[in-house]
């Protein structure tokens, strides 16, 4: 009887050792999903089975976290998260900041439309920018930093083309507001486009090498892991953040993006 009890106890202990907590995290492919895949084994050794679910847009992964379909997502910066919460009355919170992907203005891939510098922009040139509130504002602020346009003083992070001063567009530039994911695809059809870092990387573009205007290193647009409010203190989420803020990820970022296309913030 004692032997049976001892055997049963050892089985329970063994089962608890191999029990895994499932954690599903949504992410855009580069570099977010890449980072998550790098830490799978690290989390597995802590009893966490990480499943990475890739998304190609910025809306569905937030809806999936809000509905509980997935546990967290990793693709967005803080201003976008806050704007999304306000617009959709969602309850997403920042569980931890990981990196910054500098925004950049890229020239057309069409030889007839291509320019090598912002100084080469001609009257009536067409520039494509993201159409979501925070990324559109971010793009316009980038253009303003180079003196290409002037925004109204009241315009903030959610500025739109309607916030350009009456005489603040001397070149009478035309703006095409499109979904962020499609910007690399239409680059050939415009003179230039301001493209989000992850989509630029996916398209083989480097802010350092290909950008004709690049966001400064003091960017407030830190990419974070987002969870539904109340889950930021879950042990599995804490372990996820710790793994992403590890020296392993820091070194991987340095080795993979030596030109600063991705910059660790931890």
């Amino acid at each position: 009887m004692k032997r049976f009890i001892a055997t049963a106890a050892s089985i329970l202990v063994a089962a608890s050792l191999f029990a895994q907590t499932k954690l599903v995290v949504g992410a855009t492919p580069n570099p977010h999903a890449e980072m998550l895949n790098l830490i799978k084994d690290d989390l597995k050794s802590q009893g966490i089975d990480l499943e990475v679910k890739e998304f190609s847009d910025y809306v569905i992964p937030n809806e999936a976290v809000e509905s509980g379909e997935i546990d967290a997502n990793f693709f967005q910066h803080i201003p976008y998260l806050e704007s999304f919460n306000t617009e959709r009355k969602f309850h997403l919170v920042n569980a931890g900041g990981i990196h910054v992907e500098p925004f950049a203005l890229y020239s057309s891939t069409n030889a007839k439309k291509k320019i090598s510098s912002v100084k080469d922009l001609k009257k009536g040139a067409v520039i494509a920018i993201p159409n979501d509130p925070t990324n559109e504002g971010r793009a316009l602020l980038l253009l303003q930093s180079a003196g290409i346009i002037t925004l109204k003083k009241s315009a903030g992070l959610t500025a739109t083309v309607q916030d350009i001063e009456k005489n603040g567009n001397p070149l009478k530039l035309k703006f095409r507001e499109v979904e962020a994911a499609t910007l690399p695809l239409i680059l050939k059809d415009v003179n230039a486009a301001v493209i989000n870092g992850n989509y630029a990387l996916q398209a083989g573009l480097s802010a350092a090498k290909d950008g004709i205007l690049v966001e400064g290193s003091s960017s407030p647009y830190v990419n974070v892991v987002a969870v539904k409010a109340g889950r930021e203190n879950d042990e599995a989420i804490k372990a996820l953040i710790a793994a992403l803020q590890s020296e392993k990820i820091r070194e991987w970022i340095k080795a993979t993006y030596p030109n600063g296309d991705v910059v660790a913030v931890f």
Side-chain angles (χ1 to χ4, degrees):
M1 183 64 177
K2 287 182 179 179
R3 177 182 290 182
F4 174 77
I5 293 173
T7 302
S10 63
I11 291 173
L12 287 172
V13 171
S16 65
L17 289 173
F18 289 101
Q20 295 279 309
T21 297
K22 184 71 174 288
L23 192 65
V24 183
V25 181
T28 44
N30 307 99
H32 307 83
E34 289 180 300
M35 291 188 205
L36 290 168
N37 284 319
L38 280 172
I39 61 170
K40 275 188 173 182
D41 288 343
D42 302 311
L43 291 176
K44 199 170 190 67
S45 67
Q46 300 175 55
I48 300 169
D49 180 16
L50 175 63
E51 179 185 335
V52 181
K53 190 171 182 179
E54 292 191 12
F55 292 89
S56 60
D57 80 316
Y58 287 171
V59 176
I60 298 175
N62 272 346
E63 293 176 336
V65 171
E66 180 72 16
S67 68
E69 180 185 337
I70 61 177
D71 300 294
N73 65 45
F74 179 34
F75 75 92
Q76 65 195 313
H77 52 63
I78 296 170
Y80 182 83
L81 173 64
E82 293 174 345
S83 173
F84 205 98
N85 275 337
T86 300
E87 183 183 333
R88 299 287 293 274
K89 293 183 171 50
F90 275 17
H91 310 84
L92 309 179
V93 297
N94 165 19
I98 312 300
H99 70 279
V100 169
E101 299 166 17
F103 247 34
L105 176 70
Y106 297 91
S107 177
S108 176
T109 53
N110 182 327
K112 292 182 180 179
K113 296 178 182 290
K114 194 173 183 65
I115 58 173
S116 57
S117 164
V118 292
K119 294 178 181 178
D120 297 332
L121 282 170
K122 296 178 180 178
K123 274 199 171 183
V126 181
I127 298 181
I129 59 176
N131 66 358
D132 60 90
T134 51
N135 284 311
E136 178 167 356
R138 186 180 181 185
L140 293 173
L141 287 168
L142 175 63
L143 297 176
Q144 178 174 249
S145 72
I148 299 171
I149 59 171
T150 303
L151 296 168
K152 296 173 183 175
K153 290 182 180 179
S154 59
L157 297 180
T158 56
T160 69
V161 292
Q162 281 71 43
D163 291 307
I164 298 174
E165 286 278 12
K166 185 177 181 181
N167 299 314
N169 184 8
L171 291 176
K172 301 197 183 309
L173 300 172
K174 298 174 183 175
F175 294 96
R176 283 185 61 180
E177 301 160 276
V178 300
E179 187 181 344
T182 66
L183 285 164
L185 302 177
I186 69 164
L187 188 54
K188 65 183 184 300
D189 302 320
V190 296
N191 297 102
V194 183
I195 304 177
N196 303 57
N198 60 316
Y199 290 130
L201 290 169
Q202 247 175 277
L205 296 168
S206 162
K209 294 179 181 178
D210 306 307
I212 56 176
L213 178 60
V214 183
E215 201 171 47
S217 58
S218 59
S219 168
Y221 296 88
V222 176
N223 278 226
V224 302
V225 172
V227 298
K228 193 160 185 180
R231 293 209 58 193
E232 61 270 30
N233 293 317
D234 286 6
E235 291 305 316
I237 297 298
K238 285 183 177 180
L240 171 67
I241 300 303
L244 285 172
Q245 293 179 341
S246 65
E247 195 61 28
K248 175 180 181 177
I249 293 296
R250 188 198 303 278
E251 291 305 315
W252 178 83
I253 289 174
K254 285 182 182 178
T256 310
Y257 303 101
N259 293 318
D261 290 314
V262 177
V263 181
V265 298
F266 51 88

